[in-house]
Amino acid sequence: MSEVIPFSSQWIQDFMQQHFAVTVAEDRNNSFPYSTEDLLDEAKLPLIIRQQSLQLGEPGGIVVGTLFAKRYSVLIMGLAASITLFDTPLSLLPGALRFRLTDAGMMQYEAETAATDKWPDNPSEVRQACLSGYIDRLLAHLRQVLQAVSGYTGAKEKIMWSLIAHNLHNLYGQLHTDKGIWDSEDRGRIIGQDYNTLLQPEKPDELSMRFRRYEHPKLRGRSFYLRRHCCLAYRIRIGPDAGEYCSTCPKLSPEERCNILNN
């Protein structure tokens, strides 16, 4: 990505949809009936959680709430990637982030670009200050959402935060090694700087966690991080992963993890 590509380009739109289930659009699409505001609405949140519960085979509130955080982390990864790869923050204003529920409790998202829709396309103190301010707003948003979902479902906030932080760590690990989507030295430095600003701040916050790196021959140098807490996906009853453990699950023995990766 050595040349500037307009954020509206089809390649970027396709990339965001493929990897993060995020559609970027300024005009609201009725096929995304919920906004993140609805997660803070005492009347609407139960309807959303109930629908996800049915899609998962009604495994219990704690399972649904914990898996909600894992699903929601995909949106958070998309927000981070939009900044790190395309220098474009997506809006965190009320109603600007929307979603719909799909099969097996999954979620697809619609977002708008922020009013200041371009940041410096080089690693700099200015960029770092912009990202620090964005992180503060993102953390405030997540605190509200996770507290609301936790309060209704009984899922532990600490575990929900860890699932989001884990996916962000793996995202930046992949971005750092996958030069197929970037090819300039500046972009490589931006990835490192944004990672440090987002996940290793001087002032610790809920996303400041450390994860154990895992290596395996089949990964071909693309190691990943193991979760600190189980996402409880093995307890769902519907969907392709019903009853299965993730390869990143801390409950697995070394032998079980190898078996999953080898098959």
Side-chain angles (χ1 to χ4, degrees):
M1 294 189 62
S2 55
E3 60 182 276
V4 176
I5 304 175
F7 193 80
S8 59
S9 76
Q10 192 60 50
W11 185 88
I12 293 179
Q13 292 284 352
D14 291 345
F15 182 90
M16 292 294 289
Q17 289 177 4
Q18 178 183 352
H19 293 280
F20 310 108
V22 173
T23 298
V24 182
E26 303 309 316
D27 297 322
R28 181 162 187 167
N29 187 328
N30 291 332
S31 67
F32 293 87
Y34 304 111
S35 77
T36 53
E37 282 186 299
D38 296 330
L39 298 170
L40 309 179
D41 188 309
E42 291 184 358
K44 295 179 180 178
L45 175 61
L47 300 177
I48 295 169
I49 296 299
R50 176 60 179 163
Q51 186 176 342
Q52 283 194 309
S53 178
L54 289 171
Q55 291 176 337
L56 295 170
E58 300 185 90
I62 292 176
V63 176
V64 179
T66 303
L67 280 172
F68 169 88
K70 186 179 180 182
R71 310 298 196 219
Y72 204 68
S73 71
V74 178
L75 169 63
I76 307 307
M77 292 162 67
L79 298 179
S82 179
I83 290 169
T84 295
L85 293 178
F86 311 122
D87 312 308
T88 303
L90 299 179
S91 178
L92 297 173
L93 292 175
L97 294 171
R98 299 172 285 271
F99 64 94
R100 62 188 174 208
L101 305 178
T102 60
D103 295 338
M106 300 295 234
M107 303 163 76
Q108 295 177 344
Y109 306 94
E110 184 181 62
E112 302 172 10
T113 55
T116 53
D117 61 358
K118 274 293 178 184
W119 286 1
D121 59 351
N122 56 76
S124 64
E125 291 183 4
V126 174
R127 181 190 178 91
Q128 196 167 4
C130 289
L131 182 55
S132 294
Y134 189 86
I135 292 170
D136 288 342
R137 297 190 295 276
L138 178 61
L139 288 170
H141 166 83
L142 281 172
R143 287 173 188 135
Q144 287 184 300
V145 169
L146 297 188
Q147 182 178 33
V149 174
S150 172
Y152 183 73
T153 64
K156 293 182 179 180
E157 287 186 62
K158 178 181 178 181
I159 294 176
M160 300 168 82
W161 279 104
S162 77
L163 296 176
I164 294 172
H166 170 263
N167 273 352
L168 284 170
H169 273 274
N170 272 332
L171 168 66
Y172 278 91
Q174 291 166 8
L175 292 182
H176 187 263
T177 58
D178 192 354
K179 297 185 179 182
I181 56 174
W182 58 274
D183 60 8
S184 73
E185 291 184 5
D186 259 2
R187 186 58 57 188
R189 286 192 288 267
I190 284 172
I191 290 170
Q193 177 181 282
D194 285 5
Y195 169 73
N196 288 330
T197 303
L198 177 62
L199 294 170
Q200 298 180 11
E202 293 179 4
K203 182 180 178 181
D205 56 47
E206 293 91 338
L207 293 177
S208 297
M209 302 181 188
R210 296 202 176 275
F211 297 89
R212 185 159 59 94
R213 190 186 295 272
Y214 181 79
E215 307 278 352
H216 187 275
K218 274 203 168 183
L219 300 176
R220 297 179 181 177
R222 297 183 180 185
S223 58
F224 60 73
Y225 294 99
L226 302 181
R227 298 185 194 278
R228 296 177 64 172
H229 300 281
C230 177
C231 70
L232 304 182
Y234 74 95
R235 291 171 59 179
I236 62 176
R237 305 170 188 172
I238 294 177
D241 300 323
E244 300 291 335
Y245 287 91
C246 309
S247 61
T248 57
C249 185
K251 289 180 176 290
L252 294 175
S253 68
E255 294 77 15
E256 290 170 328
R257 198 180 317 281
C258 283
N259 287 337
I260 289 176
L261 291 170
N262 286 332
N263 293 328

